[in-house]
Amino acid sequence: MNEKIKILADNIEKVIVGKRESVLKIITAMLCGGHVLIEDVPGVGKTQLVSALAKSVDGKFNRIQLTPDVMPSDIVGFSMINRQTNELEYKEGAAMCNFLLADEINRASPKSQSSLLEVMEEHQISIDGNTHVLPTPFMTLATQNPVETYGTYHLPEAQMDRFIMKISMGYPAYEDELKIMENGESAKSAKDLDAVMTTDEVAKLMEFAARITAAPSIRKYILDIVTATRNSEYIKLGVSPRGSIALLRASKAYAFVMGRGYVTPDDVKSVMKEVLAHRLMLSPKGKSAFEDNGAALDSIAMTVNSPVSAE
């Protein structure tokens, strides 16, 4: 594993116990400039994971608790008259930061959710004819609960497609939960973490990750998987070209995290479900045949021949 990434992951794991894979996936998303949707039941550490990442990197971290009464201006900011100059002056919203935690994103109204589209895709905010560029790195980390959905607004497909990954942490193992209880007793949380990486270092790591080699056979393998989702009788809506690009970027970043200079088929398989599953829409036949999108994707991917070597 890349040494700097190991230091970052170890620091996060001081408060996030037994979730190494989730930690590495969220770091992978950061390195390819993507955004992450964390969906899981309440109380498993979604917000804590995001806070731990933000505290481990010496950047600006903003959190907004999304509710139906949150306005787009709360997220992207607004312009107001400066009475001294009589000119419009931009007032920053929560999105003007390096790490934006959009907590319980599905509780925001569609109007507020849509205000994140430009922010996530273009890394900029356009208000009153002026464009405000977000700092680098910029990452939106949203959480939502799959239960107690009363009073929530389902994220539209266009919004889901903006997230490079959707991850689920799941319940901790028995021994891990004992350690979590000990941390809880000592009131040890993300706010106690020290930064182990600067935003400039993250930006350099992002450049290195983008230069990881992906052989033509790997690119074809990715496209074969994506094409298979479009032609499957179990899938109503297959993966878009944005999804194939996202899988390539994530595979390269994951290879970098693992300390390699090239992408292997296993790198693609390691991030495939997190990158592609939330972009699918199952057909009625698919809903009856599979438990969820991830299971359908696994089944479809098994029909695609994996290249023997990435070189």
Side-chain angles (χ1 to χ4, degrees):
M1 180 181 293
N2 181 283
E3 187 59 32
K4 289 187 176 181
I5 299 301
K6 185 179 185 303
I7 293 172
L8 177 59
D10 288 345
N11 196 59
I12 295 173
E13 285 194 311
K14 290 178 180 178
V15 293
I16 303 298
V17 180
K19 296 297 178 184
R20 185 75 170 190
E21 196 61 29
S22 295
V23 170
L24 293 180
K25 294 291 174 61
I26 204 170
I27 292 174
T28 297
M30 177 184 71
L31 293 181
C32 55
H35 313 283
V36 178
L37 176 63
I38 308 174
E39 181 181 80
D40 221 319
V41 296
V44 296
K46 299 187 297 295
T47 303
Q48 191 85 317
L49 172 59
V50 174
S51 300
L53 173 66
K55 287 291 289 184
S56 297
V57 178
D58 186 21
K60 185 177 180 182
F61 170 53
N62 284 341
R63 173 181 176 176
I64 184 166
Q65 189 70 43
L66 293 170
T67 56
D69 59 346
V70 168
M71 299 297 292
S73 58
D74 296 323
I75 299 172
V76 300
F78 59 93
S79 297
M80 65 178 296
I81 294 290
N82 185 321
R83 294 189 178 278
Q84 294 181 338
T85 63
N86 288 326
E87 294 181 353
L88 280 175
E89 187 175 281
Y90 174 63
K91 298 295 182 181
E92 295 182 356
M96 189 59 69
C97 61
N98 296 108
F99 299 96
L100 173 64
L101 169 55
D103 216 358
E104 295 194 90
I105 187 173
N106 56 336
R107 294 197 180 277
S109 68
K111 185 176 183 179
S112 295
Q113 288 180 15
S114 65
S115 67
L116 284 167
L117 291 175
E118 181 188 16
V119 170
M120 295 171 67
E121 184 69 17
E122 307 294 338
H123 289 202
Q124 66 182 31
I125 296 169
S126 299
I127 295 180
D128 296 325
N130 296 316
T131 299
H132 308 275
V133 179
L134 297 172
T136 301
F138 171 73
M139 187 178 190
T140 299
L141 301 117
T143 68
Q144 69 176 10
N145 299 325
V147 296
E148 296 180 354
T149 54
Y150 180 77
T152 62
Y153 300 87
H154 176 72
L155 293 181
E157 299 306 319
Q159 185 92 35
M160 292 291 287
D161 211 31
R162 295 301 199 280
F163 290 101
I164 197 166
M165 288 187 186
K166 177 183 176 183
I167 67 174
S168 177
M169 297 177 66
Y171 290 113
Y174 187 87
E175 294 298 326
D176 292 332
E177 192 157 356
L178 285 176
K179 294 179 182 178
I180 293 171
M181 292 170 68
E182 291 175 7
N183 289 346
E185 285 184 318
S186 61
K188 188 176 181 180
S189 64
K191 70 177 184 293
D192 302 314
L193 293 178
D194 295 322
V196 296
M197 189 177 290
T198 66
T199 53
D200 287 340
E201 288 177 314
V202 172
K204 289 180 181 178
L205 292 177
M206 291 171 68
E207 292 178 7
F208 292 146
R211 293 201 292 265
I212 295 297
T213 301
S217 60
I218 291 293
R219 295 171 185 266
K220 290 178 181 178
Y221 179 51
I222 289 173
L223 186 55
D224 286 345
I225 294 173
V226 168
T227 302
T229 67
R230 300 171 186 169
N231 298 329
S232 173
E233 60 182 338
Y234 299 111
I235 305 298
K236 179 180 179 182
L237 178 66
V239 177
S240 69
R242 182 188 281 130
S244 57
I245 295 170
L247 183 53
L248 175 61
R249 288 167 53 202
S251 299
K252 292 169 70 173
Y254 190 77
F256 177 75
V257 167
M258 292 294 105
R260 286 188 297 275
Y262 57 91
V263 180
T264 68
D266 284 341
D267 293 325
V268 177
K269 294 173 185 176
S270 294
V271 296
M272 176 188 67
K273 192 179 295 186
E274 287 82 3
V275 174
L276 299 185
H278 66 282
R279 304 172 193 272
L280 302 175
M281 185 181 295
L282 297 183
S283 66
K285 186 173 183 178
K287 291 179 181 178
S288 62
F290 299 104
E291 182 181 358
D292 54 28
N293 289 16
L297 182 62
D298 282 338
S299 177
I300 292 170
M302 289 178 64
T303 66
V304 178
N305 292 326
S306 174
V308 176
S309 172
E311 299 176 302

